[in-house]
Amino acid sequence: AGASIENSYSTADVTAISTAGGMFAGGLVGLNLGSSATNHTSIIGSYATGTVTATSTLTTLANPTPPNGLAIWAGGLVGDSQSGDITKSYATGDVTATGSGGYFVYAGGLIGLSDGLVGDTVDVWQDYATGTVRATNTIDQAYAGGLVGRMYNTDNENAYAQGGVTASGVTIAGAGGLVGWDESSSITTSYAVGATAAQNAATLYAGGVVGYR
């Protein structure tokens, strides 16, 4: 097992502003990084109540291919969680991510990105988020989820989101009440109740639970 954060919290508002493309902003942790399938990091029984705002003014096109390309990851608890398990935790603050470059923008009420390694699965269990979530990209793609902005190789169980979700992009906008973009993951006994909107982009994906899968 890897490092862990247990029974911890933050009430601070978090603001990240950059002229570059890559950014991790979270109410408790910006980047929660494990190293392997047998060395996950863990966040257990923790919470954040402050707002999270991430803004990039970069206008030069970058490599947008997720998850390795330049991107904005913003989450009410964790901006980017790679090979990390998050259980019995929550966030209540509003999350706003805004970009103007050729990269992707992701925002989640709890987690901007939950990402397991190839052949590995991470856990998002018994968690919730209640804040409103907004992802905006004035050049390319934007994804927003009430709980998770983008979820990959993740086992999501007994989780919920209550806040409204809005994704606004140019090429693609994906908005989900629970997850904005889901790939190779499972969702079990989880739900969302907030209004969901995808807008302005050439291609729109909007769902009460998942925007794009």
Coordinates of all heavy atoms in Angstrom, one line a residue, residues 22-94:
G22 N -1.0 22.9 -18.2 CA -1.2 21.9 -17.2 C -1.5 22.4 -15.9 O -0.7 23.3 -15.4
M23 N -2.5 21.9 -15.2 CA -2.9 22.5 -13.9 C -3.7 21.5 -13.1 O -4.6 20.8 -13.7 CB -3.7 23.8 -14.1 CG -4.1 24.5 -12.8 SD -5.2 25.9 -13.2 CE -4.2 26.8 -14.3
F24 N -3.4 21.3 -11.8 CA -4.1 20.4 -10.9 C -4.6 21.3 -9.7 O -3.7 21.8 -9.0 CB -3.2 19.3 -10.4 CG -2.4 18.6 -11.5 CD1 -1.1 18.9 -11.8 CD2 -3.0 17.6 -12.2 CE1 -0.4 18.2 -12.8 CE2 -2.4 16.9 -13.2 CZ -1.0 17.2 -13.5
A25 N -5.9 21.3 -9.5 CA -6.4 22.1 -8.4 C -7.4 21.3 -7.7 O -8.4 20.8 -8.3 CB -7.0 23.4 -9.0
G26 N -7.3 21.2 -6.4 CA -8.2 20.4 -5.6 C -8.4 21.0 -4.2 O -7.6 21.7 -3.7
G27 N -9.6 20.9 -3.7 CA -9.9 21.4 -2.4 C -9.1 20.9 -1.3 O -8.8 21.6 -0.3
L28 N -8.6 19.6 -1.4 CA -7.7 19.0 -0.4 C -6.4 18.7 -1.0 O -5.4 19.0 -0.4 CB -8.4 17.8 0.2 CG -7.7 17.1 1.4 CD1 -7.9 18.0 2.6 CD2 -8.2 15.7 1.6
V29 N -6.4 18.1 -2.2 CA -5.1 17.7 -2.8 C -5.2 18.0 -4.3 O -6.2 17.8 -5.0 CB -4.9 16.1 -2.7 CG1 -3.7 15.7 -3.4 CG2 -4.9 15.7 -1.2
G30 N -4.1 18.6 -4.8 CA -4.1 18.9 -6.2 C -3.8 17.7 -7.1 O -4.6 17.4 -8.0
L31 N -2.8 16.9 -6.8 CA -2.4 15.7 -7.5 C -2.2 14.6 -6.5 O -1.3 14.7 -5.6 CB -1.2 15.9 -8.3 CG -0.6 14.7 -9.0 CD1 -1.6 14.1 -10.0 CD2 0.7 15.0 -9.7
N32 N -3.1 13.6 -6.5 CA -3.0 12.4 -5.7 C -2.4 11.2 -6.5 O -3.1 10.7 -7.3 CB -4.4 12.0 -5.2 CG -4.4 10.8 -4.2 OD1 -3.5 10.7 -3.3 ND2 -5.3 9.9 -4.4
L33 N -1.1 11.0 -6.4 CA -0.4 10.1 -7.3 C 0.2 8.8 -6.7 O 1.1 8.9 -5.9 CB 0.7 10.9 -8.0 CG 1.5 10.2 -9.0 CD1 0.7 9.8 -10.2 CD2 2.7 11.1 -9.5
G34 N -0.4 7.7 -7.1 CA 0.2 6.4 -6.7 C 1.1 6.0 -7.8 O 1.2 6.6 -8.9
S35 N 1.9 4.9 -7.6 CA 2.9 4.6 -8.5 C 2.7 3.2 -9.3 O 3.3 3.0 -10.3 CB 4.3 4.5 -7.8 OG 4.3 3.5 -6.8
S36 N 1.8 2.4 -8.8 CA 1.5 1.1 -9.4 C 0.3 0.5 -8.9 O -0.4 1.0 -7.9 CB 2.7 0.2 -9.1 OG 2.7 -0.2 -7.7
A37 N -0.1 -0.7 -9.4 CA -1.3 -1.4 -9.0 C -1.2 -1.8 -7.6 O -2.2 -2.0 -6.9 CB -1.6 -2.6 -9.9
T38 N 0.0 -2.0 -7.1 CA 0.2 -2.5 -5.7 C 0.6 -1.4 -4.8 O 0.9 -1.6 -3.6 CB 1.2 -3.6 -5.6 OG1 2.5 -3.1 -6.2 CG2 0.7 -4.8 -6.4
N39 N 0.6 -0.1 -5.3 CA 1.1 1.0 -4.5 C 0.1 2.2 -4.7 O 0.5 3.3 -5.1 CB 2.5 1.4 -4.8 CG 3.1 2.4 -3.9 OD1 2.8 2.3 -2.7 ND2 4.0 3.2 -4.4
H40 N -1.2 2.0 -4.4 CA -2.1 3.1 -4.5 C -1.9 4.0 -3.4 O -1.6 3.7 -2.2 CB -3.5 2.5 -4.4 CG -4.0 1.8 -5.6 ND1 -5.3 1.4 -5.8 CD2 -3.3 1.4 -6.7 CE1 -5.4 0.8 -7.0 NE2 -4.3 0.8 -7.6
T41 N -2.2 5.3 -3.6 CA -2.4 6.3 -2.6 C -3.9 6.2 -2.1 O -4.7 5.8 -2.9 CB -2.0 7.7 -3.0 OG1 -2.8 8.0 -4.1 CG2 -0.6 7.8 -3.3
S42 N -4.2 6.6 -0.9 CA -5.5 6.5 -0.4 C -5.9 7.8 0.3 O -5.1 8.4 1.0 CB -5.7 5.4 0.6 OG -5.4 4.1 0.0
I43 N -7.2 8.2 0.1 CA -7.8 9.3 0.8 C -9.0 8.7 1.5 O -9.9 8.2 0.8 CB -8.1 10.5 0.0 CG1 -6.8 11.1 -0.6 CG2 -8.9 11.6 0.8 CD1 -7.0 12.3 -1.6
I44 N -9.1 8.7 2.8 CA -10.1 8.1 3.5 C -10.7 9.0 4.6 O -10.0 9.7 5.3 CB -9.6 6.8 4.3 CG1 -8.9 5.9 3.3 CG2 -10.7 6.1 5.0 CD1 -8.0 4.8 3.9
G45 N -12.1 9.1 4.6 CA -12.8 9.8 5.6 C -12.4 11.3 5.7 O -12.3 11.8 6.8
S46 N -12.2 11.9 4.6 CA -11.7 13.3 4.5 C -12.7 14.2 3.7 O -13.5 13.6 3.0 CB -10.3 13.3 3.9 OG -9.4 12.6 4.7
Y47 N -12.5 15.5 3.9 CA -13.5 16.4 3.2 C -12.9 17.7 2.9 O -11.9 18.1 3.6 CB -14.8 16.5 3.9 CG -14.7 17.2 5.3 CD1 -14.9 18.6 5.3 CD2 -14.5 16.5 6.4 CE1 -14.8 19.2 6.6 CE2 -14.4 17.1 7.7 CZ -14.6 18.5 7.7 OH -14.5 19.2 8.9
A48 N -13.5 18.5 2.0 CA -13.2 19.9 1.7 C -14.5 20.6 1.5 O -15.4 20.1 0.9 CB -12.3 20.0 0.5
T49 N -14.5 21.9 2.0 CA -15.7 22.7 1.9 C -15.5 24.0 1.1 O -16.5 24.7 0.8 CB -16.3 23.0 3.3 OG1 -15.3 23.8 4.0 CG2 -16.6 21.8 4.1
G50 N -14.3 24.3 0.7 CA -14.1 25.5 0.0 C -14.3 25.4 -1.5 O -14.4 24.3 -2.0
T51 N -14.4 26.6 -2.2 CA -14.6 26.6 -3.6 C -13.2 26.3 -4.3 O -12.1 26.6 -3.7 CB -15.1 28.0 -4.1 OG1 -14.1 29.0 -3.7 CG2 -16.4 28.3 -3.5
V52 N -13.3 25.8 -5.5 CA -12.0 25.5 -6.3 C -12.2 26.2 -7.6 O -13.2 25.9 -8.3 CB -11.8 24.0 -6.4 CG1 -10.6 23.7 -7.3 CG2 -11.6 23.3 -5.1
T53 N -11.2 27.0 -8.0 CA -11.3 27.8 -9.2 C -9.9 27.6 -9.9 O -8.9 27.9 -9.4 CB -11.5 29.3 -9.0 OG1 -12.8 29.4 -8.2 CG2 -11.7 30.0 -10.3
A54 N -9.9 27.1 -11.1 CA -8.7 26.9 -11.9 C -8.9 27.6 -13.3 O -9.9 27.4 -14.0 CB -8.4 25.4 -12.1
T55 N -7.9 28.5 -13.6 CA -8.0 29.3 -14.8 C -6.7 29.3 -15.5 O -5.7 29.6 -14.9 CB -8.5 30.7 -14.5 OG1 -9.7 30.7 -13.8 CG2 -8.7 31.5 -15.8
S56 N -6.7 29.0 -16.8 CA -5.5 29.1 -17.6 C -5.8 30.0 -18.8 O -6.8 30.0 -19.4 CB -5.1 27.7 -18.2 OG -4.0 27.9 -19.1
T57 N -4.8 30.9 -19.1 CA -4.9 31.9 -20.2 C -4.1 31.5 -21.4 O -4.0 32.3 -22.3 CB -4.6 33.3 -19.7 OG1 -3.2 33.2 -19.3 CG2 -5.5 33.8 -18.6
L58 N -3.5 30.3 -21.4 CA -2.7 29.8 -22.5 C -3.6 29.7 -23.8 O -4.7 29.2 -23.8 CB -2.2 28.4 -22.2 CG -1.4 27.8 -23.4 CD1 -0.1 28.5 -23.5 CD2 -1.2 26.3 -23.1
T59 N -3.1 30.3 -24.9 CA -3.9 30.3 -26.1 C -3.2 29.5 -27.2 O -3.7 29.3 -28.3 CB -4.1 31.7 -26.6 OG1 -2.9 32.4 -26.8 CG2 -5.0 32.5 -25.7
T60 N -1.9 29.0 -27.0 CA -1.2 28.3 -28.0 C -1.7 26.8 -27.9 O -1.8 26.2 -26.9 CB 0.3 28.3 -27.7 OG1 0.7 29.7 -27.7 CG2 1.1 27.5 -28.8
L61 N -1.9 26.2 -29.1 CA -2.4 24.8 -29.1 C -1.3 23.9 -28.6 O -0.1 24.0 -28.9 CB -2.7 24.4 -30.6 CG -4.0 25.1 -31.2 CD1 -4.1 24.6 -32.6 CD2 -5.2 24.8 -30.4
A62 N -1.8 23.0 -27.7 CA -0.9 22.0 -27.1 C -1.4 20.6 -27.5 O -2.4 20.5 -28.2 CB -0.8 22.2 -25.6
N63 N -0.7 19.6 -27.0 CA -1.1 18.2 -27.3 C -2.3 17.9 -26.3 O -2.0 17.8 -25.1 CB 0.0 17.2 -27.0 CG -0.5 15.8 -27.0 OD1 -1.5 15.5 -27.5 ND2 0.3 14.9 -26.4
P64 N -3.5 17.7 -26.8 CA -4.6 17.6 -25.8 C -4.9 16.2 -25.4 O -5.9 16.0 -24.7 CB -5.8 18.2 -26.6 CG -5.5 17.8 -28.0 CD -3.9 17.8 -28.1
T65 N -4.2 15.2 -25.9 CA -4.6 13.8 -25.7 C -4.5 13.4 -24.3 O -3.5 13.4 -23.6 CB -3.6 12.9 -26.5 OG1 -3.6 13.2 -27.9 CG2 -4.1 11.4 -26.4
P66 N -5.7 13.1 -23.6 CA -5.7 12.8 -22.2 C -5.2 11.3 -22.0 O -5.4 10.5 -22.9 CB -7.1 12.9 -21.9 CG -7.9 12.6 -23.1 CD -7.0 13.1 -24.2
P67 N -4.7 10.9 -20.8 CA -4.5 11.9 -19.7 C -3.1 12.5 -19.7 O -2.8 13.2 -18.8 CB -4.6 11.0 -18.5 CG -4.1 9.7 -19.0 CD -4.5 9.5 -20.4
N68 N -2.3 12.3 -20.8 CA -0.9 12.8 -20.7 C -0.7 14.1 -21.3 O 0.3 14.8 -21.1 CB -0.1 11.7 -21.5 CG -0.1 10.4 -20.9 OD1 0.0 10.3 -19.7 ND2 -0.3 9.3 -21.7
G69 N -1.7 14.6 -22.1 CA -1.5 15.9 -22.7 C -1.8 17.0 -21.7 O -2.3 16.8 -20.6
L70 N -1.5 18.3 -22.0 CA -1.8 19.4 -21.2 C -3.3 19.5 -20.9 O -4.1 19.3 -21.8 CB -1.2 20.7 -21.8 CG 0.3 20.8 -21.9 CD1 0.6 22.1 -22.6 CD2 0.9 20.8 -20.5
A71 N -3.6 19.7 -19.7 CA -5.1 19.8 -19.4 C -5.2 20.5 -18.1 O -4.3 20.8 -17.3 CB -5.7 18.4 -19.2
I72 N -6.5 21.0 -17.8 CA -6.8 21.5 -16.5 C -7.7 20.4 -15.8 O -8.7 20.0 -16.3 CB -7.6 22.8 -16.6 CG1 -6.8 23.9 -17.3 CG2 -8.2 23.2 -15.3 CD1 -7.6 25.2 -17.5
W73 N -7.2 20.0 -14.6 CA -8.0 19.1 -13.8 C -8.4 19.8 -12.5 O -7.5 20.3 -11.7 CB -7.1 17.9 -13.4 CG -6.4 17.3 -14.6 CD1 -5.1 17.4 -14.9 CD2 -6.9 16.4 -15.6 NE1 -4.7 16.6 -16.0 CE2 -5.9 16.0 -16.4 CE3 -8.2 15.9 -15.8 CZ2 -6.1 15.2 -17.5 CZ3 -8.4 15.0 -16.9 CH2 -7.3 14.7 -17.7
A74 N -9.6 20.0 -12.2 CA -10.1 20.6 -11.0 C -11.2 19.8 -10.3 O -12.1 19.3 -11.0 CB -10.6 22.0 -11.4
G75 N -11.0 19.6 -9.0 CA -12.0 18.8 -8.3 C -12.2 19.4 -6.9 O -11.3 20.0 -6.3
G76 N -13.4 19.2 -6.4 CA -13.8 19.8 -5.0 C -12.9 19.2 -3.9 O -12.6 19.9 -3.0
L77 N -12.4 18.0 -4.1 CA -11.5 17.3 -3.1 C -10.1 17.1 -3.7 O -9.1 17.5 -3.1 CB -12.1 16.0 -2.7 CG -11.4 15.3 -1.5 CD1 -11.7 16.0 -0.2 CD2 -11.7 13.8 -1.4
V78 N -10.1 16.5 -4.9 CA -8.8 16.2 -5.6 C -8.9 16.6 -7.1 O -9.8 16.3 -7.8 CB -8.5 14.7 -5.5 CG1 -7.2 14.4 -6.2 CG2 -8.5 14.2 -4.1
G79 N -7.8 17.3 -7.5 CA -7.8 17.7 -8.9 C -7.6 16.5 -9.8 O -8.3 16.3 -10.8
D80 N -6.5 15.7 -9.5 CA -6.1 14.6 -10.4 C -5.7 13.4 -9.5 O -4.8 13.6 -8.7 CB -5.0 15.0 -11.3 CG -4.6 13.9 -12.3 OD1 -5.0 12.7 -12.1 OD2 -3.8 14.2 -13.2
S81 N -6.4 12.3 -9.5 CA -6.1 11.1 -8.7 C -5.8 10.0 -9.6 O -6.6 9.4 -10.3 CB -7.3 10.8 -7.8 OG -7.0 9.7 -7.0
Q82 N -4.5 9.6 -9.7 CA -3.9 8.6 -10.5 C -3.4 7.5 -9.6 O -2.6 7.7 -8.8 CB -2.9 9.1 -11.4 CG -3.4 10.2 -12.4 CD -2.3 10.5 -13.5 OE1 -1.6 9.6 -13.9 NE2 -2.3 11.8 -13.9
S83 N -3.9 6.2 -9.8 CA -3.6 5.1 -9.0 C -3.9 5.5 -7.5 O -3.1 5.2 -6.6 CB -2.2 4.6 -9.2 OG -2.0 4.1 -10.4
G84 N -5.0 6.1 -7.3 CA -5.4 6.5 -6.0 C -6.9 6.1 -5.7 O -7.7 6.2 -6.5
D85 N -7.1 5.6 -4.4 CA -8.4 5.3 -4.0 C -9.0 6.4 -3.1 O -8.2 6.9 -2.2 CB -8.4 3.9 -3.2 CG -7.8 2.8 -4.0 OD1 -8.2 2.7 -5.2 OD2 -7.0 2.0 -3.5
I86 N -10.2 6.7 -3.3 CA -10.9 7.7 -2.4 C -12.2 7.2 -1.9 O -13.1 6.8 -2.6 CB -11.1 9.0 -3.3 CG1 -9.8 9.6 -3.8 CG2 -11.9 10.1 -2.4 CD1 -10.0 10.8 -4.7
T87 N -12.2 7.0 -0.6 CA -13.4 6.4 0.1 C -13.9 7.2 1.3 O -13.1 7.9 2.0 CB -13.0 5.0 0.6 OG1 -11.9 5.1 1.5 CG2 -12.6 4.1 -0.6
K88 N -15.2 7.2 1.4 CA -15.9 7.8 2.6 C -15.5 9.2 2.8 O -15.2 9.7 3.9 CB -15.6 7.0 3.9 CG -16.1 5.6 3.8 CD -15.9 4.8 5.1 CE -16.5 3.4 5.0 NZ -16.2 2.6 6.3
S89 N -15.4 10.0 1.6 CA -15.0 11.3 1.6 C -16.0 12.2 0.8 O -16.8 11.7 0.1 CB -13.6 11.5 1.0 OG -12.6 10.7 1.7
Y90 N -15.9 13.5 1.0 CA -16.8 14.4 0.3 C -16.3 15.8 0.1 O -15.3 16.2 0.7 CB -18.2 14.4 1.1 CG -18.1 15.1 2.5 CD1 -18.3 16.5 2.6 CD2 -17.8 14.4 3.6 CE1 -18.3 17.1 3.8 CE2 -17.8 15.0 4.9 CZ -18.0 16.4 5.0 OH -18.0 17.0 6.2
A91 N -17.0 16.5 -0.7 CA -16.7 17.9 -1.0 C -18.0 18.7 -1.2 O -18.9 18.1 -1.8 CB -15.8 18.1 -2.2
T92 N -18.0 19.9 -0.7 CA -19.3 20.7 -0.8 C -19.1 22.0 -1.5 O -20.1 22.7 -1.8 CB -19.8 21.0 0.6 OG1 -18.8 21.8 1.4 CG2 -20.1 19.7 1.4
G93 N -17.9 22.4 -1.9 CA -17.6 23.6 -2.6 C -17.9 23.6 -4.1 O -17.9 22.5 -4.7
D94 N -18.2 24.7 -4.7 CA -18.4 24.8 -6.1 C -17.0 24.7 -6.8 O -16.0 25.2 -6.3 CB -19.0 26.2 -6.5 CG -20.4 26.4 -5.9 OD1 -21.0 25.3 -5.6 OD2 -20.9 27.5 -5.8

